[in-house]
């Protein structure tokens, strides 16, 4: 998605060889116009899947999940990383370990918001090792529903999350795929392919 790639080129900061800072439009401040375009793009790419609900994880996945759900005309549910004091109702629970942050969260979704027989589109902001998406997929399975797609805003293609998810049979669509941060520069995956040919 060219608009997103341009934004990453203009405002993204490569922190080290693994981490990209995009807090001016995705992870802290949010650019609503860009987020609407991202939602439209996800809705276009998954239009043929019969999505009945969008599932994401707090907090940075919520904005993109919301605009995608708006365009797909379905509800959006976000998994919580900390159990709310009010969450005394029955919930699906799974452990998600973040290698980037070196922490494990107990991720929960109330059963009343995720029934059986739903066609779920999982949306998240970053794909690194795939732990968050795998965790959400486990919750969908616990609910007796089906994952019809996984939409990612920024995939770091040099980490193995995309490979793991695709090899597990999931349809993964990433709006920007980053091949490397070599030399402190963002190089997109498609550009690498172009340069090799
Ligand atoms: P994984 O789910 O693919 O395995 O990714 P990982 O655990 O490594 O990611 C953990 C957190 O770090 C996630 O945010 C993810 O969005 C974020 N993250 C991963 N790589 C990058 C990166 O290159 N840049 C930035 N800015 N973030 C990255 P989170 O803990 O869920 O935080 P939030 O959603 O509450 O903001």
């Amino acid at each position: 998605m060219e608009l997103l790639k341009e934004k990453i080129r203009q405002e993204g900061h490569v922190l080290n060889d693994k981490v990209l800072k995009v807090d001016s439009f995705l992870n802290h401040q949010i650019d609503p116009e860009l987020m609407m375009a991202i939602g439209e793009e996800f809705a276009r790419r998954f239009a043929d899947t019969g999505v009945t609900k969008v599932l994401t994880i707090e907090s940075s996945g919520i904005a993109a999940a919301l605009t995608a759900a708006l365009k797909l005309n379905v509800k959006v549910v976000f998994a919580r990383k900390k159990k709310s004091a009010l969450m005394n109702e029955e919930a699906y629970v799974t452990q998600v370990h973040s290698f980037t942050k070196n922490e494990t969260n107990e991720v929960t979704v109330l059963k009343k918001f995720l029934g059986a027989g739903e066609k779920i589109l999982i949306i998240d902001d970053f794909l690194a090792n795939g732990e968050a998406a795998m965790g959400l997929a486990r919750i969908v399975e616990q609910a007796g529903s089906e994952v019809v797609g996984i939409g990612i805003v920024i995939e770091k293609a040099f980490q193995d999350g995309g490979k793991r998810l695709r090899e597990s049979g999931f349809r993964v669509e990433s709006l920007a795929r980053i091949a490397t941060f070599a030399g402190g520069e963002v190089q997109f995956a498609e550009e690498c392919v172009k340069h090799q040919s």
Side-chain angles (χ1 to χ4, degrees):
M1 181 184 171
E2 199 43 51
L3 186 65
L4 172 64
K5 284 160 72 174
E6 196 47 43
K7 195 81 170 173
I8 293 170
R9 282 186 205 105
Q10 284 173 0
E11 297 186 20
H13 294 286
V14 175
L15 280 193
N16 53 48
D17 61 350
K18 285 219 177 94
V19 177
L20 175 71
K21 205 164 180 223
V22 283
D23 59 359
S24 70
F25 62 92
L26 186 63
N27 292 133
H28 196 9
Q29 177 171 262
I30 295 173
D31 180 330
E33 275 187 23
L34 177 69
M35 222 40 84
M36 283 305 294
I38 283 172
E40 273 167 24
E41 183 63 16
F42 279 136
R44 190 183 68 76
R45 293 192 191 199
F46 292 105
D48 61 336
T49 59
V51 178
T52 60
K53 196 165 269 191
V54 172
L55 177 65
T56 187
I57 181 164
E58 66 174 341
S59 57
S60 300
I62 295 175
L66 175 69
T67 55
L70 182 70
K71 290 291 160 186
L72 288 161
N73 199 23
V74 296
K75 296 264 195 308
V76 54
V77 179
F78 66 89
R80 290 185 179 273
K81 287 182 197 153
K82 295 266 183 301
K83 215 170 176 181
S84 150
L86 297 173
M87 275 179 101
N88 52 6
E89 299 162 72
E90 272 200 292
Y92 300 110
V93 184
T94 194
Q95 303 278 325
V96 171
H97 180 72
S98 165
F99 291 99
T100 305
K101 296 194 171 171
N102 195 24
E103 62 183 25
T104 300
N105 288 295
E106 191 160 90
V107 169
T108 55
V109 175
L110 284 186
K111 289 186 177 176
K112 69 178 179 185
F113 296 129
L114 188 58
E118 300 268 14
K119 288 180 179 289
I120 303 293
L121 173 61
I122 291 173
I123 297 279
D124 209 357
D125 57 336
F126 269 96
L127 176 58
N129 300 293
E131 291 292 314
M134 286 296 224
L136 292 177
R138 283 195 298 276
I139 283 180
V140 173
E141 195 184 333
Q142 284 179 44
S145 282
E146 179 195 356
V147 176
V148 294
I150 299 177
I152 300 293
V153 180
I154 302 175
E155 175 179 348
K156 295 187 290 183
F158 55 86
Q159 292 183 267
D160 69 356
K163 188 165 177 277
R164 282 179 69 198
L165 295 175
R166 291 178 179 102
E167 282 181 359
S168 299
F170 294 113
R171 172 172 167 188
V172 183
E173 294 273 350
S174 303
L175 304 189
R177 295 186 76 233
I178 293 171
T180 164
F181 294 139
E185 294 280 321
V186 175
Q187 189 147 23
F188 293 101
E190 298 82 345
E191 290 170 6
C192 278
V193 172
K194 227 184 277 169
H195 290 160
Q196 282 161 6
S197 58

